[in-house]
Amino acid sequence: MYKIAVIPGDGTGPEVVAEGMKVLEAAGRKFGFKYEATTFDFGGARFLKTGKTLDEGDIAELRKYSAIFLGAIGHPDVKPGILETGILLKLRFSLDQYINLRPVKLYNPAFCPLKDKKPEDIDFVVVRENSEGLYKGMGEFKDKGTKDEVALQISYNTRKGVERCIRYAFDYCRKRNKRKKLTLCGKTNVLTYAFDLWERTFYEVAKEYPDITTDYAHVDATTMWFVKNPEWFDVIVTDNLFGDIITDLGAMIQGGMGIAAGGNINPQGVSMFEPIGGSAPKYTGKNVINPLAAICAAGMMLGNLGETRAAQAIERTVIDITATKLKSLAAGKMGYSTQEIGDLVVKGL
Ligand code: IPM
Ligand code: MN
């Protein structure tokens, strides 16, 4: 019996989470697993009412769950930064979800903005470090507000933090398929402390994985190759900020935010799965947002819980619907409503 914590959150979060839950229920019936879902109201609306983001008690409660299914955090009436750091990053950090796993896979070439790319050309996974780097929030102002002001923002990289991420990436790459190629994405030519540590750790750990081909690409070149030669990539490992940036580009080449899902993973603890598109306020409540990213996130969650057959069936169904039914992956242009797409996946399963 899995205990699933559901955080629908803000904007279109509740709409897409509802479709994800519909698919979860259908998958449970078909593949014979049981779960109990508990909904939490963390998000912008609750913050505006109570001034609360997430406290230690909430974190302690969430630790009791098998996994967390998250919709979106972000509210137009709340100043940027409060909900992101107070809820999303707080969850990632407190639950030590040190991996952010983002598959980039093209399901239908018609939805790819790149010319002449086929599904087999765009099929890679980004392993983003999710607990350190520039996201650590370290830094300070000096002489704030004066013309001599200096703002420091520190990228915090520990050997242990970097190594556990790199090891996860090697292990993941070994299991993934026959290609077995791991690329370190960095900026060794400029960030001579942080990526010196990353590079040394990468090649030291690589000695334990002789079956994996290693490669290195600077982050700027990586964005170029995502567009020019995405077929070069199998698994990419990178730091928190670079991972954030390149996975938005990854989402676009796989067909857009409507299909992009991610997992915040603590291999020994509670992991959290989310569509990466955000709260999309302008589409809220209109039944037009694409729920496939959330449905894919639910599939990833099942895979992570060990329900491999269910996870694979959800992915196959999403591929089929994306390839044969949808007019577009973009909100309002899919040829179906949010709920109809959820129903299509349930029927497909
Ligand atoms: C993401 C988002 C978050 C991040 C924001 C909302 C803090 O962009 O999940 O990629 O930067 O990690
Ligand atoms: Mn992002």
Side-chain angles (χ1 to χ4, degrees):
M1 170 78 104
Y2 303 117
K3 288 182 62 162
I4 311 289
V6 183
I7 308 178
D10 301 315
T12 50
E15 290 167 69
V16 297
V17 158
E19 301 314 304
M21 294 307 289
K22 225 150 82 175
V23 171
L24 203 64
E25 197 195 310
R29 253 183 281 125
K30 182 161 170 68
F31 294 98
F33 62 84
K34 292 210 162 34
Y35 65 92
E36 186 185 270
T38 310
T39 303
F40 292 86
D41 64 352
F42 309 127
R46 176 181 182 262
F47 173 76
L48 288 170
K49 248 189 280 156
T50 64
K52 284 188 192 148
T53 48
L54 206 67
D55 59 32
E56 289 316 311
D58 300 325
I59 297 289
E61 177 61 24
L62 288 168
R63 274 186 214 287
K64 298 179 194 155
Y65 286 79
S66 323
I68 303 170
F69 183 37
L70 175 75
I73 299 291
H75 196 290
D77 301 337
V78 182
K79 191 175 156 230
I82 296 177
L83 302 173
E84 290 85 343
T85 53
I87 300 179
L88 186 61
L89 298 183
K90 174 115 185 207
L91 282 165
R92 289 177 182 169
F93 290 164
S94 309
L95 298 172
D96 203 19
Q97 294 162 341
Y98 62 87
I99 298 295
N100 194 317
L101 197 64
R102 297 196 168 172
V104 176
K105 195 162 169 179
L106 178 63
Y107 290 151
N108 180 348
F111 304 146
C112 182
L114 307 179
K115 199 155 73 96
D116 300 332
K117 293 297 177 192
K118 298 181 287 299
E120 58 270 31
D121 296 326
I122 300 178
D123 181 6
F124 59 87
V125 175
V126 178
V127 176
R128 161 184 172 188
E129 203 292 320
N130 211 30
S131 66
E132 300 191 336
L134 280 154
Y135 276 69
K136 190 82 177 172
M138 282 178 81
E140 62 174 306
F141 293 112
K142 288 190 175 136
D143 302 317
K144 189 173 181 183
T146 73
K147 59 184 179 345
D148 295 317
E149 176 164 357
V150 180
L152 293 177
Q153 189 90 44
I154 293 168
S155 178
Y156 180 88
N157 299 266
T158 65
R159 168 72 196 214
K160 287 198 180 97
V162 170
E163 186 170 332
R164 67 181 180 173
C165 174
I166 286 175
R167 279 189 186 281
Y168 182 93
F170 273 105
D171 287 331
Y172 187 85
C173 187
R174 182 175 266 172
K175 281 189 301 213
R176 186 169 122 87
N177 60 28
K178 292 202 179 71
R179 287 176 74 192
K180 300 204 188 326
K181 178 177 167 189
L182 179 64
T183 305
L184 171 64
C185 164
K187 190 73 187 173
T188 52
N189 52 349
V190 175
L191 304 181
T192 50
Y193 298 105
F195 279 98
D196 186 89
L197 172 58
W198 273 84
E199 193 180 35
R200 272 184 286 120
T201 310
F202 183 70
Y203 288 111
E204 266 174 49
V205 174
K207 290 187 196 136
E208 296 170 41
Y209 295 83
D211 52 323
I212 310 282
T213 307
T214 53
D215 194 10
Y216 171 81
H218 292 318
V219 63
D220 47 348
T222 302
T223 63
M224 177 178 79
W225 283 320
F226 271 20
V227 173
K228 203 166 170 285
N229 298 101
E231 63 279 5
W232 286 355
F233 296 106
D234 174 15
V235 180
I236 300 169
V237 64
T238 191
D239 83 349
N240 210 337
L241 184 66
F242 290 167
D244 177 49
I245 297 168
I246 67 173
T247 54
D248 267 26
L249 181 55
M252 290 326 283
I253 65 172
Q254 75 181 121
M257 288 300 182
I259 193 86
N264 300 274
I265 309 225
N266 176 342
Q268 290 86 35
V270 185
S271 299
M272 174 168 78
F273 300 84
E274 53 174 340
I276 73 173
S279 58
K282 74 173 179 192
Y283 298 119
T284 302
K286 301 200 167 121
N287 199 18
V288 297
I289 194 80
N290 188 345
L292 285 179
I295 290 169
C296 290
M300 274 182 92
M301 174 167 77
L302 287 175
N304 197 262
L305 290 170
E307 297 296 332
T308 315
R309 286 193 322 132
Q312 286 170 348
I314 291 173
E315 188 179 22
R316 272 198 310 274
T317 309
V318 170
I319 292 176
D320 180 53
I321 289 168
T322 306
T324 63
K325 298 224 154 57
L326 300 196
K327 288 211 218 85
S328 160
L329 295 176
K333 301 185 180 145
M334 301 158 329
Y336 297 89
S337 70
T338 305
Q339 288 170 350
E340 283 169 342
I341 292 185
D343 293 340
L344 279 177
V345 178
V346 167
K347 207 167 138 230
L349 272 181

